[in-house]
Amino acid sequence: MTLVMVLGAALMLVGFWGLITRQNMIKMVLSLAIAETGLQLIMIAVGYINGGTAPILDSAVDKLSAVQQVVDPVPQALVLTAIVIGVAVNALMLAFIIRLYQKKHSLNISDYKDMKW
Amino acid sequence: MVRKSIALALMTGLAFILASILGDWSPMERLSGVAYDYVAHGASDLGAMNLVTAIVVTYRGLDTLGEVTVLFLAASGVAVLLRRADGEQQEKTQSKRAASEIVTTGASLLSPFIVMFGAYIFLNGHLSPGGGFQGGAVIASAVLLLFLAHPDYKLRHDVLNIIESFSGFTYVLVGLLGLFLAGGFLDNRFLPLGAYGTILSAGSIPLIYTLIGLKVGTELAGILENMKGRAL
Amino acid sequence: MENILTALLSLIILIAALAAIYLRNMISAILAAGLVSLFASILYLLMAAPDVAMTEAAIGAGLSTVIFLLAFRKTRDEEVENG
């Protein structure tokens, strides 16, 4: 699963590149969501064991030798949390963007210089 | 141009950091540490077939409580930001195009089944893949289908608020019951573990996941409604 | 077999991510970002994580895309796109 690691790192790079270079605020949130996906892919790939099965102990997996068969469930639980929080935070950012747009009628980040130093 | 080169330099640095991390990494060979313990004892201790559920609801239950809190705060933030906006200025009343016959009929036929499927997902969270978060998202997608079919559809906010507050409160209450009657906060063993692999097993895990599912479903539906605003 | 599938999916995801950033049309960009999530959920399934795959497909690819589209809908009145 080295390939997935590389893909995750590449997605993070693409996401941060978009975050830095794009001017449109919705595009920036979109880039952040892509970087998030890359991070989640990396975390799942860290917990993967070659040839392992899903951590669900049904009839396909023997309960006693499960330790040798299943992949690491802890990163999966963490990523589950991260996805749900990610979408909630994205929604909050988009709500802020909608409010800003109602004030100035622009989505370009360069038009908002009030907090610029 | 300067800006672009600074961005390029930053990305090169980040790529270098990521590459050095990836260079040191080697795939995991076997479970170790806390994961070994969870896999070895999770099923017999807690009675849950799905170990991810066991971790999310019980071993790392406090994290999940925090996560639900973050979700709640984000949903309230969206509501505060967008609801006041509607009051302040009149959105121009667009001529809404009514949804077609097929969409409205399909929505009214399908949405009860989609909600039922969401309930199925979170009730079986301890037996099969899925759980409260996925089930809640499925329920929210049923609400989305209703919004698509009837652009003027209004959610009953009092009912949503009651469901959300009730499930959040009961979640904490169940956690405290675990603290007093069993081993610790959010311990699921104050209810009988039941027969392994049946729907009424694994102590309070199905109960907690049902509460999480209801809470996540109502919160995501609320976010969707606030983002939708008056016109779709 | 699995390696080929993984490589193919990785290629699609990377192209979709670049498209999401560089496409001028915002709706296409949002849909491309949804594609990234959708194919990532297949990768999760290949990596023996069905729970995460379900969450990513339902929340990442479904609801998140809809929320982005709704936000785009609310921030638009005959304005030129500045990608």
Side-chain angles (χ1 to χ4, degrees):
Chain A
M1 286 295 127
T2 321
L3 188 60
V4 179
M5 284 299 252
V6 175
L7 171 70
L11 275 187
M12 280 178 77
L13 285 176
V14 169
F16 282 121
W17 171 254
L19 184 64
I20 293 174
T21 55
R22 296 300 100 181
Q23 301 279 308
N24 186 320
M25 288 192 285
I26 294 184
K27 271 269 171 78
M28 292 169 74
V29 181
L30 211 57
S31 315
L32 212 55
I34 288 173
E36 218 169 72
T37 308
L39 181 67
Q40 289 155 5
L41 276 171
I42 290 181
M43 281 175 71
I44 292 288
V46 165
Y48 183 73
I49 296 171
N50 238 334
T53 60
I56 296 171
L57 306 185
D58 53 6
S59 51
V61 180
D62 183 28
K63 221 166 134 185
L64 292 174
S65 63
V67 176
Q68 273 95 45
Q69 291 180 41
V70 300
V71 301
D72 193 344
V74 180
Q76 297 193 9
L78 289 177
V79 171
L80 204 69
T81 313
I83 292 175
V84 179
I85 289 192
V87 75
V89 171
N90 283 347
L92 189 59
M93 283 194 277
L94 288 171
F96 273 111
I97 290 173
I98 292 172
R99 276 303 266 174
L100 285 175
Y101 182 81
Q102 285 168 348
K103 281 264 187 297
K104 281 198 175 173
H105 284 271
S106 165
L107 279 177
N108 195 329
I109 190 80
S110 306
D111 289 343
Y112 296 91
K113 296 192 186 297
D114 310 347
M115 300 268 279
K116 201 172 177 184
W117 46 275
Chain B
M1 210 56 242
V2 176
R3 191 179 289 185
K4 201 131 199 173
S5 49
I6 291 176
L8 212 56
L10 272 175
M11 296 318 293
T12 321
L14 187 60
F16 184 74
I17 294 171
L18 284 175
S20 65
I21 291 174
L22 283 187
D24 287 345
W25 176 77
S26 58
M28 204 183 340
E29 295 292 331
R30 69 179 76 83
L31 295 178
S32 60
V34 69
Y36 183 91
D37 241 40
Y38 288 165
V39 175
H41 306 302
S44 44
D45 278 3
L46 304 180
M49 276 166 102
N50 188 345
L51 290 170
V52 177
T53 299
I55 291 173
V56 165
V57 176
T58 308
Y59 289 122
R60 299 267 167 224
L62 204 58
D63 292 4
T64 309
L65 188 59
E67 175 196 5
V68 171
T69 314
V70 170
L71 194 62
F72 170 70
L73 286 176
S76 334
V78 172
V80 166
L81 281 169
L82 294 183
R83 230 176 250 170
R84 197 190 295 154
D86 279 352
E88 268 175 15
Q89 61 194 83
Q90 231 65 355
E91 268 180 51
K92 51 179 189 286
T93 47
Q94 290 164 313
S95 55
K96 282 172 224 152
R97 197 177 55 200
S100 76
E101 181 91 28
I102 295 174
V103 177
T104 47
T105 314
S108 45
L109 276 177
L110 277 178
S111 50
F113 290 104
I114 297 178
V115 172
M116 192 175 78
F117 182 56
Y120 168 83
I121 288 178
F122 59 64
L123 282 176
N124 281 286
H126 57 304
L127 302 177
S128 57
F133 299 108
Q134 294 92 329
V138 170
I139 289 178
S141 69
V143 176
L144 174 69
L145 185 61
L146 285 179
F147 283 153
L148 288 180
H150 312 282
D152 288 325
Y153 190 79
K154 286 264 189 302
L155 291 177
R156 291 276 305 276
H157 284 285
D158 43 352
V159 177
L160 283 189
N161 286 343
I162 288 172
I163 292 176
E164 192 181 337
S165 333
F166 169 79
S167 50
F169 177 73
T170 319
Y171 184 17
V172 177
L173 204 67
V174 168
L176 287 176
L177 277 178
L179 182 59
F180 290 124
L181 301 178
F185 189 64
L186 283 172
D187 196 330
N188 68 331
R189 283 170 294 185
F190 70 90
L191 290 176
L193 283 186
Y196 181 76
T198 53
I199 187 150
L200 284 177
S201 65
S204 62
I205 286 182
L207 181 62
I208 293 177
Y209 243 177
T210 306
L211 294 171
I212 292 178
L214 289 176
K215 197 164 165 56
V216 171
T218 48
E219 270 160 8
L220 289 178
I223 287 181
L224 276 176
E225 196 198 17
N226 287 317
M227 296 295 284
K228 176 178 81 83
R230 210 158 283 164
L232 189 77
Chain C
M1 183 58 209
E2 209 169 86
N3 281 333
I4 300 171
L5 193 55
T6 312
L8 204 64
L9 283 173
S10 307
L11 196 68
I12 296 173
I13 288 174
L14 211 55
I15 292 172
L18 286 173
I21 285 177
Y22 281 107
L23 276 181
R24 292 265 159 191
N25 184 342
M26 182 62 90
I27 289 183
S28 321
I30 292 171
L31 290 181
L35 267 189
V36 172
S37 284
L38 196 61
F39 284 108
S41 82
I42 302 178
L43 269 185
Y44 292 140
L45 203 59
L46 286 180
M47 286 191 289
D51 285 274
V52 184
M54 273 181 86
T55 317
E56 180 78 32
I59 296 182
L63 282 180
S64 173
T65 309
V66 170
I67 287 175
F68 272 107
L69 284 175
L70 288 177
F72 174 60
R73 168 88 204 210
K74 288 194 105 183
T75 56
R76 191 177 53 142
D77 44 14
E78 65 268 357
E79 193 206 24
V80 279
E81 299 270 25
N82 34 23

